[in-house]
Amino acid sequence: MEASAMESSALELCITDFKSEAKDIVVLELQHPQKRPLSPFTAGSHLEVYLPNGCIRHYSLLNCPSETHRYVIAVGLVADGRGGSLNIHQTLRVGSVLKVSAPRNNFLLVDAPAYCFIAGGIGITPILSMIRWCIAHGKKWRLFYSVRNKQRTGFYEELQQLADANVHFHFNDEQDGRHLDIHQVIASLSLDEHLYCCGPEALMQSVKNAAGHLPAQHVHFEWFSAPASVSTAAQSGSFTVKLKRANQEIQVMADQSILDALEEAGMDLPFSCRAGICRTCEVTVCSGTPEHLDMILSDEEKAADNTMLICVSRAQSSVIELDL
Ligand code: FES
């Protein structure tokens, strides 16, 4: 059973619509039980969802940020996953109550003259909200949407109706299994166009590699989970954590995270994703050198070494002192 320090302040919303959108994708509309207005959100925001089976998952809001009467999320079924999506697909229906956090945004749509979106599979959800915002504000945008096949393409009809000329679908099965040509997309970017990407790890890594020469502030990613390389790196030896305020030293073993070790020592610290993608567990580094393994701090923040995310990041130095 997972738990989060934020769950105690969660909202209880009612599922007012629950429908199948494409193969293995369901869409949930959430409203306040008394139809009260909800906290506003910005394009790219997500909700932390506390599921009946104890799992905590993050789902992007896909409706228009101007709407305050509802939150809409889509959930792709991960058959071999850890049980979060299966719990939603199998147990929730219209009328069920779902506990969620207020919206948070780690994938901000910065003000830019033009946007190029690359989405893979269920990664279309935050992008949809961004597209709706672009349309409402008369912004220039285009979308490259890569999916295994048409059957699994969420929001296919809606995207066609929204602005067909701006939308480029890529179905692997119609291209002899070939993937979207990321290099071609990157080469077509104009100088002032910002690139936003959300999708499976392989797609994200291809885009990250192909866009390496672009200014970092023009390229934006939303990771579903930390890449496999992060979990591998996280097995890299033991070290000592000094807790400045608690005046205590704790050993972190090779097979545990700093967060695990501190919890084992009886500390109660805030966390959410435990995967380096949400920033909830960020702590200030007083001395020592972190080994940043998260997917959310910017390159500048990582170079500054002022803070670290203790659910995944480790220490390069044998001792690291934290402001705890
Ligand atoms: S708990 Fe999400 S980044 Fe650490």
Side-chain angles (χ1 to χ4, degrees):
M1 179 90 71
E2 300 171 33
S4 163
M6 258 90 66
E7 189 172 347
S8 51
S9 58
L11 297 165
E12 294 202 339
L13 300 183
C14 195
I15 298 179
T16 47
D17 197 12
F18 185 104
K19 63 184 175 217
S20 173
E21 168 57 38
K23 184 169 168 52
D24 291 340
I25 297 177
V26 291
V27 172
L28 287 75
E29 180 191 70
L30 307 169
Q31 293 192 27
H32 191 278
Q34 281 85 45
K35 302 283 187 243
R36 290 198 198 122
L38 302 170
S39 302
F41 66 95
T42 48
S45 295
H46 68 270
L47 298 178
E48 186 168 279
V49 177
Y50 311 102
L51 294 171
N53 68 355
C55 288
I56 301 170
R57 295 291 178 266
H58 293 178
Y59 294 108
S60 297
L61 291 164
L62 61 89
N63 52 318
C64 186
S66 64
E67 294 182 343
T68 55
H69 69 293
R70 63 177 190 157
Y71 295 143
V72 185
I73 58 174
V75 180
L77 180 66
V78 185
D80 55 354
R82 290 171 295 148
S85 62
L86 190 66
N87 191 235
I88 290 177
H89 278 246
Q90 289 187 339
T91 66
L92 299 181
R93 289 296 176 265
V94 170
S96 306
V97 170
L98 200 54
K99 282 168 93 175
V100 303
S101 69
R104 298 183 205 136
N105 200 336
N106 295 326
F107 194 36
L108 273 176
L109 193 62
V110 300
D111 192 22
Y115 302 94
C116 175
F117 300 116
I118 300 179
I122 196 69
I124 189 65
T125 51
I127 304 285
L128 253 186
S129 183
M130 291 176 169
I131 289 174
R132 296 187 207 284
W133 183 90
C134 285
I135 292 171
H137 292 82
K139 288 284 190 176
K140 210 168 142 193
W141 64 275
R142 57 199 177 117
L143 166 69
F144 294 85
Y145 184 13
S146 174
V147 195
R148 261 189 281 168
N149 54 50
K150 222 174 262 176
Q151 253 190 318
R152 293 182 171 275
T153 305
F155 313 98
Y156 176 65
E157 290 79 12
E158 189 182 349
L159 280 166
Q160 280 190 315
Q161 282 164 15
L162 273 180
D164 196 14
N166 293 359
V167 180
H168 308 271
F169 292 104
H170 179 97
F171 304 115
N172 291 354
D173 70 334
E174 293 180 14
Q175 305 290 331
D176 296 328
R178 278 194 305 276
H179 292 290
L180 174 68
D181 189 340
I182 299 295
H183 287 276
Q184 202 175 59
V185 177
I186 303 285
S188 73
L189 289 172
S190 60
L191 283 177
D192 58 4
E193 205 170 6
H194 276 235
L195 180 67
Y196 280 78
C197 177
C198 185
E201 185 189 338
L203 174 81
M204 304 269 279
Q205 287 291 3
S206 308
V207 174
K208 203 169 165 45
N209 296 340
H213 62 289
L214 297 175
Q217 65 273 22
H218 282 206
V219 187
H220 314 263
F221 295 95
E222 171 96 313
W223 296 88
F224 293 150
S225 58
S229 54
V230 168
S231 350
T232 311
Q235 310 293 324
S236 62
S238 65
F239 55 93
T240 302
V241 172
K242 264 174 105 169
L243 306 178
K244 190 176 178 182
R245 281 183 277 145
N247 193 22
Q248 206 181 337
E249 286 193 4
I250 288 166
Q251 195 67 17
V252 179
M253 305 314 289
D255 61 351
Q256 63 180 169
S257 67
I258 297 179
L259 182 60
D260 289 338
L262 299 187
E263 285 176 339
E264 215 173 276
M267 294 184 77
D268 189 14
L269 297 162
F271 69 85
S272 173
C273 68
R274 297 188 90 104
I277 56 170
C278 78
R279 240 186 147 125
T280 307
C281 65
E282 185 170 4
V283 298
T284 300
V285 177
C286 304
S287 64
T289 312
E291 180 186 7
H292 296 287
L293 296 168
D294 65 273
M295 302 308 297
I296 193 133
L297 294 182
S298 66
D299 290 344
E300 291 76 23
E301 288 171 318
K302 286 180 181 173
D305 281 343
N306 290 330
T307 66
M308 68 187 293
L309 303 183
I310 58 170
C311 66
V312 290
S313 294
R314 304 181 67 77
Q316 286 184 41
S317 44
S318 57
V319 179
I320 192 154
E321 188 179 27
L322 304 177
D323 187 24
L324 287 171

